[in-house]
Amino acid sequence: MAAVTWRQARCWCPSLLQVFRFPVAQVHLGRPTMRASQQDFENAMNQVKLLKQDPGNQVKLKLYALYKQATDGPCNVPKPGVFDLVNKAKWEAWNALGSLPKETARQNYVDLVSSLSPSSEASSQGTHGADEKVQESKDIVVSSEDGITKIMFNRPTKKNAITFQMYQDIMLALKNASTDNSAITVFTGAGDYYCSGNDLTNFTSAAGGMEEAASKGAVVLREFVNSFIDFPKPLVAVVNGPAVGISVTLLGLFDAVYASDKATFHTPFSHLGQSPEACSSYTFPRIMGSAKAAEVLLFGKKLTAREACAHGLVSEVFPESTFEKEVWTRLRAYAKLPPNSMRISKELIRKNEKEKLHEVNAEECTTLKARWLSDECINAIMNFVSRKAKLGRPQSS
Ligand SMILES: CCCCC/C=C/CC(=O)SCCNC(=O)CCNC(=O)[C@H](O)C(C)(C)COP(=O)(O)OP(=O)(O)OC[C@H]1O[C@@H](n2cnc3c(N)ncnc32)[C@H](O)[C@@H]1OP(=O)(O)O
């Protein structure tokens, strides 16, 4: 069909008084039960101009046809030539209304606009004008703006370490983001850290002790990582500072990773008596080659942002001073790309890997459950909790 610009569609509705000057009762933008008055019709024409989203060619043609039918009556002008694509499409839409009475066309126009009005626009399509908080949770803040859903680790006093509750909150945020109106989803951290990984007190504060924490942990971890494997939209990490443990390994499941030059990437699993998770035992060797992946996953070699970029884990590194501005400007531009095209391309990219990733995730979780109950791991966690050891430092006895 001929392309009809949104500007053209808006021009089909002559400028009249602003709809918001009228009391709601007069506007009748809910489902009408009476015949639409001339005033309702004029209000609806103004309402069209307030729509934030282009409703698409079909709807725009329908609006045009109903407008013409309601004002001029049945179409009796000559059909435009075959090469005048836009006017031909408009003529055909109008002509298709045949002898529909003017009053009915006016009513149908008001009904159609009602279904597109800002309130239904927001609820049916999840439109978010200003930065809108979309999920209430203390340590995970989810907001949506400019086609981007932002999921932020928000526990800066604990370097954004992830508690059991935060795993649940993130899963919920991803579930919502997969169907909301945003084109892309972005993770970032509040404060100086991106994230310090799993909260090590998850294991020590569980009521039933390590046994219970390990069982619960394996189930939660598997479900948590699955929600990243299956996430359908482009997933981007904006790594604002150091990243540790699971916040690093998950990056292998992201579509793009942008890092500040003050970010570092550290997976001290052996220091903690643990083993890799989030499919990193599979994704890291593929991303960075087996030799570098071994250094990172077995020996806990911490990578700078530039090293992580050179080894393919990070897409691009930005100077700290311009990081936020540059990255968000870029992401806002990406979020304007056709969302269905991005989803379909991501699906193609991930399709052949999905089954393998689920398999790897399951195996890593089983392995980790046993690791969490090992002396090596329990000692390392106890050392951290009693402040005898910090990341990467040999444990004192
Ligand atoms: C469902 C279960 C899934 C499990 C999945 C498994 C994942 C594996 C991993 O993620 S392994 C990685 C685990 N993370 C760590 O080992 C990091 C431990 N933290 C540190 O080594 C340091 O805190 C640091 C290097 C991140 C930062 O050091 P710094 O000196 O700058 O700051 P502090 O140590 O004073 O930290 C400030 C407060 O934050 C608390 N904290 C930091 N990280 C964690 C953490 N991962 N778990 C729990 N708490 C953490 C730290 O204890 C300080 O709290 P305090 O001020 O109350 O003492």
Side-chain angles (χ1 to χ4, degrees):
M1 187 204 297
V4 180
T5 66
W6 185 214
R7 187 185 295 277
Q8 278 175 315
R10 287 183 192 219
C11 290
W12 299 337
C13 312
S15 167
L16 284 164
L17 296 168
Q18 284 288 309
V19 73
F20 289 128
R21 287 210 199 137
F22 296 91
V24 175
Q26 260 183 287
V27 175
H28 293 311
L29 286 178
R31 200 118 295 274
T33 48
M34 300 181 297
R35 248 162 206 234
S37 66
Q38 180 60 24
Q39 184 66 72
D40 294 335
F41 184 53
E42 289 170 6
N43 290 342
M45 284 189 277
N46 279 316
Q47 191 73 52
V48 169
K49 290 180 225 144
L50 297 174
L51 292 177
K52 289 187 194 127
Q53 285 229 323
D54 183 331
N57 278 352
Q58 294 292 354
V59 173
K60 285 184 286 191
L61 284 171
K62 188 94 189 150
L63 282 172
Y64 169 78
L66 289 169
Y67 170 77
K68 291 296 282 181
Q69 191 85 6
T71 51
D72 297 357
C75 176
N76 58 7
V77 296
K79 186 174 182 176
V82 69
F83 295 115
D84 188 357
L85 294 177
V86 172
N87 284 319
K88 191 160 108 7
K90 287 159 71 177
W91 183 91
E92 280 165 355
W94 181 13
N95 192 51
L97 295 180
S99 57
L100 189 76
K102 278 185 170 185
E103 297 73 28
T104 312
R106 195 164 68 186
Q107 178 69 64
N108 291 356
Y109 182 93
V110 170
D111 285 358
L112 180 55
V113 175
S114 167
S115 72
L116 304 169
S117 67
S119 57
S120 52
E121 207 181 20
S123 59
S124 67
Q125 300 169 9
T127 304
H128 304 294
D131 195 352
E132 188 182 314
K133 214 167 159 198
V134 291
Q135 190 179 317
E136 282 302 332
S137 160
K138 186 166 59 71
D139 298 329
I140 294 294
V141 173
V142 185
S143 55
S144 205
E145 186 184 20
D146 297 330
I148 302 171
T149 290
K150 181 168 86 175
I151 302 174
M152 186 167 68
F153 301 111
N154 186 41
R155 210 179 161 223
T157 55
K158 299 286 181 184
K159 309 293 182 192
N160 296 327
I162 311 173
T163 59
F164 272 129
Q165 183 59 49
M166 288 164 75
Y167 287 107
Q168 300 293 348
D169 293 341
I170 292 169
M171 282 190 267
L172 178 62
L174 285 175
K175 185 165 176 267
N176 292 336
S178 68
T179 54
D180 72 9
N181 194 39
S182 65
I184 61 181
T185 300
V186 178
F187 273 80
T188 194
D192 58 343
Y193 260 65
Y194 174 66
C195 172
S196 65
N198 184 47
D199 188 312
L200 293 171
T201 65
N202 282 337
F203 296 109
T204 54
S205 56
M210 285 297 277
E211 283 274 351
E212 190 183 305
S215 299
K216 180 177 167 190
V219 172
V220 173
L221 179 62
R222 185 164 172 192
E223 201 189 337
F224 178 75
V225 173
N226 279 344
S227 62
F228 284 81
I229 297 172
D230 295 330
F231 191 69
K233 296 179 182 179
L235 193 58
V236 179
V238 171
V239 186
N240 53 298
V244 183
I246 191 167
S247 71
V248 177
T249 51
L250 278 173
L251 297 176
L253 297 172
F254 278 62
D255 302 296
V257 179
Y258 299 122
S260 148
D261 59 7
K262 73 162 198 187
T264 52
F265 300 82
H266 196 188
T267 49
F269 299 132
S270 299
H271 297 81
L272 292 164
Q274 297 189 26
S275 52
E277 78 285 287
C279 299
S280 59
S281 60
Y282 176 71
T283 57
F284 276 29
R286 286 171 66 90
I287 291 170
M288 51 183 86
S290 51
K292 186 50 68 181
E295 255 197 314
V296 167
L297 294 177
L298 305 190
F299 307 136
K301 184 182 185 334
K302 191 196 284 186
L303 300 179
T304 63
R306 297 212 182 279
E307 286 167 339
C309 190
H311 295 299
L313 183 64
V314 164
S315 317
E316 196 169 329
V317 181
F318 297 80
E320 172 57 15
S321 54
T322 56
F323 176 61
E324 295 285 334
K325 188 164 178 278
E326 284 194 63
V327 167
W328 289 105
T329 303
R330 183 180 301 189
L331 291 175
R332 275 191 287 274
Y334 288 170
K336 291 200 179 98
L337 292 169
N340 291 334
S341 173
M342 289 196 284
R343 285 171 76 113
I344 288 164
S345 298
K346 172 160 179 171
E347 200 179 322
L348 280 174
I349 293 168
R350 178 132 305 176
K351 208 170 88 183
N352 301 321
E353 293 281 61
K354 235 183 203 176
E355 204 181 321
K356 179 72 184 165
L357 290 169
H358 282 296
E359 199 183 293
V360 171
N361 182 29
E363 195 181 349
E364 286 178 346
C365 291
T366 308
T367 307
L368 257 175
K369 184 178 166 187
R371 282 279 86 214
W372 288 328
L373 296 174
S374 70
D375 285 348
E376 287 179 346
C377 181
I378 292 173
N379 287 340
I381 290 174
M382 288 310 173
N383 274 326
F384 175 78
V385 173
S386 62
R387 310 305 287 164
K388 278 201 219 155
K390 256 195 198 179
L391 260 182
R393 269 188 231 155
Q395 296 165 18
S396 52
S397 51

